[in-house]
Structures are given as structure tokens and as C-alpha cells.
Amino acid sequence: MDVDDHSPVWHPYTQMQGADIIPIVRGEGAYLYDEQGHQYIDAVASWWTNIHGHAHPHIVSAIAAQAARLEHVIFAGFTHQPAEQLAKMLLQRIPFHFKIFYSDNGSTAVEAAIKMALQYWRNKEEVRKKIICFRDAYHGDTFGAMSVSARGVFTHPFQSLLFEVEFIDLENGKVNPTDLDKFQDKDIAAFIFEPLVLGSAGMKMYSAKLLDELISISKQNNILTIADEVMTGFGRTGKFLATDYCSNKPDIICLSKGITGGFLPFAATTCTQAIYDVFLSEEKSKMLFHGHSYTGNPLGCAAGIASLELFETDNTFKKIARIEQQHKGFAASLKGNTKIKEVRQCGTILAIELKTAEDSGYLNNVRDKAYLFFIERKIILRPLGNVLYILPPYCIEANDLQLVYAAIDEFLKLS
Ligand SMILES: *Cc1c(COP(=O)(O)O)cnc(C)c1O
């Protein structure tokens, strides 16, 4: 099937006029297959979601078994074994947290986190209502998540409707010292951040040392910290969480993308006991006012459990370490390349920022040229403007990663 103007489907982040949409029929490991049987290397892990590979049989059978037992139940007033088990397994990895709040995707995990933080202060009858975030942040596409994200090309059409926040600048991995004064403001409820890597901003990176300092400053000023680990969670940066590189721990963590191994829309927002306790009361009005129809979906929970099991049984962290090493070697080979502005790496993420005449940014024209170049070579890389990046499923074979590197070398030579 050639998807043409007659397809009723509207695709995300796609200018539909003239869009070339590829129908995919099957996935296995790091590969996707189209209708003609062409094999693609999924070097972006299907929008950063896939960690153990496509259609991994262990997760397939966990979902199938769960679907035959209980597909869904209202999660207000009811619970089920997979929800309880997954929460316990997550808390084993996040021992300083106390409760898990489920939702459906990264944006809702962030919405729940923001509402938790704001209602926390409300329940304590302290007036704190502003949020600090990075100027280039990306936290999702719903209105609350957009409000705490960059005012840029993604949010421009909605700008006048977004709530006000305090932005701090991250330049070359450093925060402007005057921006730190913003943490003194007694109206700040929370600081939300993508730990170590600002993904959609073009894989901009900063050190765990800086993040540790920012969390520490927040704590000194009684500001809640929200780590948006939607992209960085589940081993992406080399440890289970990116904040595992810090000694100061966030009060709230948002998880999604990799949580089901890339199988289902699912998310979790985790928090400390100190936060949870503020919602306990004789007064009903102090409950957390948030929830979704599919909160705690048993299939999502079953997939989440199976995915965490694979971390143990599939030597996942060994695979992660191997990818890290391989990336390091390739990054070293790019040293001195005059077409490149900067090469950045954090764990399994390798980003190559190209020098361009135009302003860099998401709509940079290099992006389309590069995307098509790699698609022709059956490699799925989806550059963020002039930033090429590799963010593979951890199961990717060493030789497939080499093929991706070789294609990048070729692209650099031709461009
Ligand atoms: C992708 C992403 C989100 C949004 O997740 P969706 O599931 O697309 O809503 C939020 N925060 C970060 C850091 C992300 O990378």
C-alpha cells in the first residue's frame, strides 16, 4: 500500500502535504520491515521508546497472557496484581521514593508531576505557584507540559495560552550565575528538568555535577524537584536513571517511553513519602485531582514487569556498556572533522551537531536531506534540525551500529 492523499490518517509532527509515509508490517530486534520486505535499522528506537528490541517474545507473551486474564479495570477503587508488582519493582530501583502514580504517556506523567507539586503547596496552605525550567526544555505536548517547555517552534501557535514560568539558561553545559537567583524566589513551587540530556532541544548535555548543584540549591530553598526521565530512564544514559549519577535525589520522577520496553502507551510518576503524606487528610479536597481512563492499565503493567525482568535475564546493562564503548570509538574517529560543530555522548546516546550556514534549529533544512539520505540506506535516523543522533534499542548488534556509523561517515563526506 502506498499511503496517498486518500489515507484518513493524520501523522504527528509531520507536514502532511507531500508527506512520504512508510507502512511497516513487522519488527524484530533492532529491525523494522516494510511491505516490500525491506529491512530498516531502527537507530532511534522508534521515538526513544524501544529498549529490548521489537516484538521481544518475553514481553509479547506477558501481554498476551495478561490480555486473556484481565485487559483493564477502573483504577479508582480497584487494583490488580500487575500494578502492585510493577510498582514494587520500580521502587526497588528508586528506593528513595514511596508511591507510584500511573498514567498513559510522557506528557501525562509530566502533567501529574506538575499537579502533584502545585497541589502539594496548596494542601500545605503555602502560596507557591511558579515553576523553574530550562529555556530549551521539552516536557511534552499537553498544555501544562508545553508551559514548562521552551517557547519555540513546537509551542509557538499556542504561546499566549501557556502559563508563565521562570526560565534558566543552559549555555555550553553551564547555568548563568544570575539565573541561580531565581531559586531564591519564595513563589517557586518546583524545578522541572530533563536530567543530563535535553532531548528534543537537540541532545544538549550537561554534567551530573551541575545537576547535583541545582537539586541541592532547590532543596536549600524548599523547592520541589521534578526529574523528567521520560527519555533518560531505563538505562538510556548508562545507569538505570540519569539522576542515579547524582547524589542529591529528585522529589518526583516522570517515567514513560522505555517503561513497557516500547510496547504500550504507559507512564509512571513517582514521589517521596513527604509529598504523598501531604495528600492524606480527613478532607476529600486534599486528594490528588488527577487520573485517566486507562490509569494503571494491566497490559501496560504486564509489559513493564516483563521489560524489567529482561534487564536481569538479558544482560541489558552489558549491552548498554558495549554500545557506550562503541559510540566512544566512533566519536573519537570524528575528531577534527570540519563539517562538525560538536560531538556529544551520554550513555547510549550519540549526537553529532553539524555546522550549517543557516540558523540551527528543529526546522533546519539539513534535517530533511539527512533523513532521506539515511532512509534510502534503510536506516532510521531522524535528525533534530542540524543534530544527527543515534539512540538505538539496546539489542542492536555491533555490526549494525557499524553500518549506521559508516552511513554517517558517508553523509559527512557528501555534505
Ligand atoms: C518524549 C518526551 C516527553 C513526552 O512524552 P510523550 O509520551 O510523547 O507524551 C516528555 N518529556 C521528555 C523528556 C520526553 O523526551
Side-chain angles (χ1 to χ4, degrees), residues 80-115:
H80 47 80
Q81 188 273 338
E84 299 298 327
Q85 188 184 342
L86 177 61
K88 282 190 189 122
M89 289 172 83
L90 287 171
L91 288 181
Q92 274 166 12
R93 304 261 183 185
I94 316 172
F96 47 93
H97 276 188
F98 185 63
K99 289 282 169 180
I100 306 279
F101 187 89
Y102 292 121
S103 64
D104 323 353
N105 59 71
S107 305
T108 57
V110 166
E111 294 289 339
I114 293 172
K115 287 172 73 173

Side-chain angles (χ1 to χ4, degrees), residues 13 47-49 104-110 137-142 145 149 192-195 197-200 203 227-232 254-257 265-267:
Y13 280 106
W47 249 349
W48 317 348
T49 59
D104 323 353
N105 59 71
S107 305
T108 57
V110 166
Y138 176 77
H139 294 292
D141 281 356
T142 49
S149 297
I192 185 167
F193 53 86
E194 295 160 89
V197 190
L198 277 63
S200 299
M203 302 296 161
D228 176 354
E229 297 251 16
V230 169
M231 180 188 76
T232 51
C254 308
L255 299 168
S256 185
K257 294 200 168 116
F266 195 75

